[in-house]
Amino acid sequence: MELFLDILLIVTSLLLILLVLLHRGKGGGLSSLFGGGVQSSLSGSTVAEKNLDRLTIFTGIIWLISILGIGLQIKFS
């Protein structure tokens, strides 16, 4: 079980980093400092962005569960 949780944590961590980097900048941050704020958003959220949001949230929940599982395993062992 310990090996499974460790592998799950590593995989979800890397996937979460990738998914967060795939998100489009919402403006006002460092991305607008380097010219990212030049483009305007003519359309609202697309289906792909909504699905990316859902996938990121789902991956974050799995990541949190694996962190809690590892913490409980350390506490009770």
Side-chain angles (χ1 to χ4, degrees):
M1 187 68 167
E2 180 180 348
L3 181 63
F4 171 73
L5 287 174
D6 289 339
I7 291 173
L8 183 66
L9 179 65
I10 291 170
V11 169
T12 55
S13 296
L14 293 174
L15 187 61
L16 200 56
I17 290 170
L18 178 71
L19 289 172
V20 168
L21 289 175
L22 283 176
H23 280 278
R24 185 179 58 171
K26 301 279 195 269
L30 286 176
S31 63
S32 65
L33 180 67
F34 297 111
V38 175
Q39 60 185 355
S40 64
S41 59
L42 297 176
S43 63
S45 296
T46 62
V47 175
E49 291 174 13
K50 288 180 183 178
N51 288 336
L52 184 62
D53 289 341
R54 290 179 186 143
L55 186 60
T56 304
I57 291 171
F58 178 74
T59 306
I61 291 171
I62 298 297
W63 181 82
L64 182 66
I65 290 171
S66 65
I67 289 287
L68 290 175
I70 291 173
L72 289 173
Q73 184 178 12
I74 289 172
K75 183 177 180 179
F76 293 118
S77 64

